[in-house]
Amino acid sequence: EPGAIFCVHCGAPFEEAHISLATTNQIGMPEPSAQVVNQQSIPPQNTPENGIAFFFVDESLPFELRIDSEFVIGRKTDDSPERMVDLVNYDAFGHGVSRRHAKIRRTQTGYEIIDLESTNGTWVNGVRLRSDKPQRLFSGDVIRLGRLNLIVLYK
């Protein structure tokens, strides 16, 4: 497609594209329905001993495990922080995920998530977060970044 920055078939970035210049487009998104996530689809043995694991809905294996005390979720660019869950290879741009979409940090009781003024919003279990206001994350919560749904698990 003209103006594409990555291959829609394999997700590989095009050499001429400057991903860091691609700004997230605001996408038309319906309010989340009462989406029921089948928690049985994630075996409890996949809950990590340390850190926090990220799963796609209906996947039994995590695509990312982080042990950092604080990190950003979004689309990695040349100037992105080192500690980042990079969703570029999962069509993050097409799903409306911002470069610096949300921050997750460990607390004394678990984890919390903060929307970083993302273009298309951050949702936890169907409730939209206010920008810059921390929301506690519980193991098994469904996070929606734009139109991309993730499940988080931790002990």
Side-chain angles (χ1 to χ4, degrees), residues 6 14 71 92 119 128:
F6 59 87
F14 297 132
F71 53 92
T119 302
R128 187 171 185 159

Side-chain angles (χ1 to χ4, degrees), residues 10-153:
C10 70
F14 297 132
E15 288 182 23
E16 307 83 43
H18 297 287
I19 295 174
S20 61
L21 300 178
T23 302
T24 307
N25 293 325
Q26 188 167 10
I27 54 178
M29 297 185 321
E31 293 294 317
S33 60
Q35 176 185 4
V36 177
V37 175
N38 180 2
Q39 293 297 333
Q40 300 302 323
S41 67
I42 302 174
Q45 67 266 22
N46 285 336
T47 303
E49 288 296 321
N50 295 311
I52 185 169
F54 294 87
F55 296 78
F56 289 112
V57 175
D58 295 328
E59 294 288 328
S60 61
L61 296 175
F63 69 88
E64 182 92 20
L65 173 66
R66 300 303 300 201
I67 58 172
D68 306 308
S69 60
E70 185 173 295
F71 53 92
V72 172
I73 301 177
R75 301 186 337 260
K76 191 164 183 74
T77 61
D78 292 339
D79 59 345
S80 296
E82 289 295 316
R83 293 177 294 196
M84 178 174 226
V85 173
D86 183 13
L87 298 172
V88 166
N89 292 332
Y90 306 104
D91 190 24
F93 185 77
H95 283 94
V97 176
S98 296
R99 284 174 277 184
R100 293 180 41 82
H101 199 101
K103 181 187 293 186
I104 293 184
R105 62 182 170 207
R106 190 177 5 231
T107 65
Q108 292 181 344
T109 58
Y111 289 88
E112 65 184 11
I113 186 169
I114 304 164
D115 180 76
L116 298 175
E117 298 182 10
S118 62
T119 302
N120 292 300
T122 302
W123 310 72
V124 176
N125 298 325
V127 177
R128 187 171 185 159
L129 304 183
R130 291 182 50 209
S131 292
D132 296 324
K133 184 172 189 274
Q135 168 70 39
R136 184 169 178 194
L137 273 181
F138 293 94
S139 188
D141 279 352
V142 177
I143 299 172
R144 187 175 113 188
L145 309 170
R147 287 187 285 193
L148 191 62
N149 290 305
L150 312 172
I151 298 173
V152 295
L153 287 181

